[in-house]
Amino acid sequence: MEVSNKQVILRDYVVSGIPKESDFELRTSKIRLNVPEGSKSVLVKNLYLSCDPYMRGRMRNATDSYIASFTPGSPIYGYGVSRVVDSGHPNFKKGDFVWGSTGWEEYSLIIEPETLFKIEHTDVPLSYYTGILGMPGMTAYAGFYEVGSPKEGEYVFVSAASGAVGQLVGQFAKLKNCYVVGTAGSKEKVDLLKNKFGFDEAFNYKEEHDLDKALKRCLPDGIDIYFENVGGKMLDAVLLNMRLHGRIPVCGMISQYNLEEPEGARNLFCLITKRLRMEGFLVVDYYSMYPKYLDMVLPLIREGKITYVEDIAEGLENAPKALIGLFSGRNIGKQVVLVARE
């Protein structure tokens, strides 16, 4: 059986600047609803797609990146939640729900299904597997616990704190009895941090003329752990406010993604004087810990001890706009695209 398959296509590489909707096009192709005979591929129907900042780097013709660039003229790829339509792989059968890398299209043929995670727990929203129970959740867990090495009562600062990862880092830190401060780009997001996610303090970085003063106001005793999501001027200000032997898990640097020439950091000497540890990490290196993470986080979700906010755009045709919105802070919480209901 052959059906039509709507797809989001990248027209051409986007070298610098914030991507525009005109950089993408919606195209309809045809796809057979069965895997090739003898193949171990898996054919899935995509239900939810995840919009993530790292995807900006894939829009460039990068040869030295940790992840392949998108191919102009072809569908873009990202994390998503899907239902198996047909399978030639022994680990997956028709009707299974999975999450992992998939195309921005209605149906995808997954050539390497070993990268997929089968969804065993369906008493929580399936969309959570694009966020708290998927890549962003594992990112927060690995970055905070494994790289950040938190201790009870420490001072934690989170940038981009209302996003897919930041909102979880703050809540994990509170579960560790840390004092937690976050920053975001609007009053609505700052209120969310304090009233929904339980941050002790938060500020709108767009309203602060001096980030160093803002940090000293909110964290007068300094910072033990800075969960780095933005880079640029924020990183420079944070370095001045780190405590001795502080840790900086480097998750992302969204302030730099659309620049032709990245900004340099000026206060790196603080790494020496304060004996800091600043470490970048990739979540793929920690996926072996996923079962352990689920054992920790699922009871917290079910007991209402941790919360997660999503911003869901409906329809594949609205996916480019949703993705682009990440870079101007338009989303409130984790940005998800609903492609199809179960």
Side-chain angles (χ1 to χ4, degrees):
M1 181 181 175
E2 195 172 68
V3 297
S4 63
N5 187 28
K6 278 193 295 187
Q7 302 172 307
V8 174
I9 306 294
L10 180 69
R11 290 180 186 270
D12 201 356
Y13 292 123
V14 183
V15 177
S16 63
I18 295 177
K20 304 180 293 295
E21 287 185 62
S22 58
D23 291 318
F24 303 88
E25 67 172 293
L26 204 64
R27 185 183 297 172
T28 301
S29 65
K30 296 283 187 181
I31 190 169
R32 294 178 65 87
L33 289 185
N34 57 280
V35 300
E37 196 167 339
S39 165
K40 288 195 173 182
S41 302
V42 172
L43 182 75
V44 298
K45 179 178 183 179
N46 294 314
L47 307 177
Y48 295 95
L49 298 176
S50 176
C51 296
D52 297 296
Y54 82 90
M55 298 172 74
R56 175 62 184 90
R58 303 189 73 181
M59 297 178 203
R60 292 189 180 91
N61 187 13
T63 56
D64 57 349
S65 177
Y66 67 95
I67 191 168
S69 298
F70 296 136
T71 303
S74 297
I76 67 172
Y77 270 73
Y79 284 93
V81 173
S82 316
R83 179 168 50 80
V84 175
V85 175
D86 190 29
S87 173
H89 197 284
N91 292 351
F92 303 98
K93 65 181 187 300
K94 182 178 179 180
D96 283 348
F97 291 109
V98 295
W99 73 269
S101 182
T102 191
W104 276 39
E105 53 192 352
E106 292 178 292
Y107 296 91
S108 294
L109 183 66
I110 310 298
I111 306 297
E112 297 179 348
E114 295 81 12
T115 63
L116 295 175
F117 294 84
K118 188 186 292 188
I119 294 174
E120 306 285 1
H121 305 277
T122 55
D123 60 322
V124 292
L126 278 176
S127 58
Y128 275 18
Y129 288 91
T130 68
I132 185 171
L133 296 177
M135 181 273 288
M138 270 303 301
T139 301
Y141 176 77
F144 182 64
Y145 289 107
E146 298 300 312
V147 183
S149 304
K151 303 179 186 69
E152 294 267 337
E154 288 194 313
Y155 297 97
V156 176
F157 178 57
V158 187
S159 56
S162 67
V165 174
Q167 60 175 291
L168 292 173
V169 173
Q171 292 180 84
F172 292 161
K174 288 307 300 176
L175 291 170
K176 196 74 176 171
N177 295 317
C178 295
Y179 185 86
V180 186
V181 175
T183 184
S186 72
K187 182 183 184 301
E188 182 181 4
K189 291 179 181 181
V190 167
D191 290 343
L192 196 66
L193 293 178
K194 293 195 283 189
N195 302 324
K196 182 85 171 178
F197 301 136
F199 283 62
D200 296 288
E201 190 55 81
F203 64 88
N204 180 353
Y205 69 89
K206 292 179 181 177
E207 294 180 348
E208 300 291 344
H209 301 296
D210 188 326
L211 293 173
D212 179 42
K213 285 183 179 177
L215 290 170
K216 285 181 167 58
R217 182 180 73 240
C218 296
L219 290 150
D221 295 318
I223 302 165
D224 292 297
I225 298 175
Y226 169 45
F227 199 95
E228 166 68 300
N229 284 313
V230 302
K233 294 178 176 63
M234 186 65 74
L235 173 59
D236 260 335
V238 167
L239 286 167
L240 296 173
N241 289 274
M242 292 296 294
R243 289 158 63 93
L244 291 182
H245 304 292
R247 286 84 68 206
I248 305 176
V250 183
C251 172
M253 292 195 172
I254 196 171
S255 73
Q256 308 298 295
Y257 294 167
N258 296 302
L259 302 180
E260 201 160 349
E261 288 293 328
E263 297 171 324
R266 295 177 300 173
N267 295 322
L268 290 177
F269 193 67
C270 294
L271 293 172
I272 301 169
T273 59
K274 297 170 182 281
R275 285 80 103 193
L276 306 177
R277 179 165 59 85
M278 185 173 176
E279 181 179 345
F281 70 100
L282 292 177
V283 66
V284 293
D285 295 333
Y286 294 90
Y287 276 153
S288 62
M289 302 180 71
Y290 184 61
K292 180 183 174 185
Y293 171 62
L294 286 184
D295 288 344
M296 181 199 86
V297 80
L298 279 168
L300 294 173
I301 295 171
R302 290 169 180 148
E303 294 164 18
K305 292 180 179 176
I306 201 163
T307 188
Y308 200 64
V309 171
E310 300 173 305
D311 190 330
I312 299 182
E314 294 209 19
L316 192 63
E317 65 277 7
N318 292 312
K321 182 179 180 181
L323 176 60
I324 293 163
L326 293 177
F327 304 106
S328 59
R330 192 163 59 210
N331 57 302
I332 306 291
K334 166 64 190 170
Q335 184 65 69
V336 184
V337 177
L338 170 63
V339 181
R341 302 187 189 278
E342 295 173 43

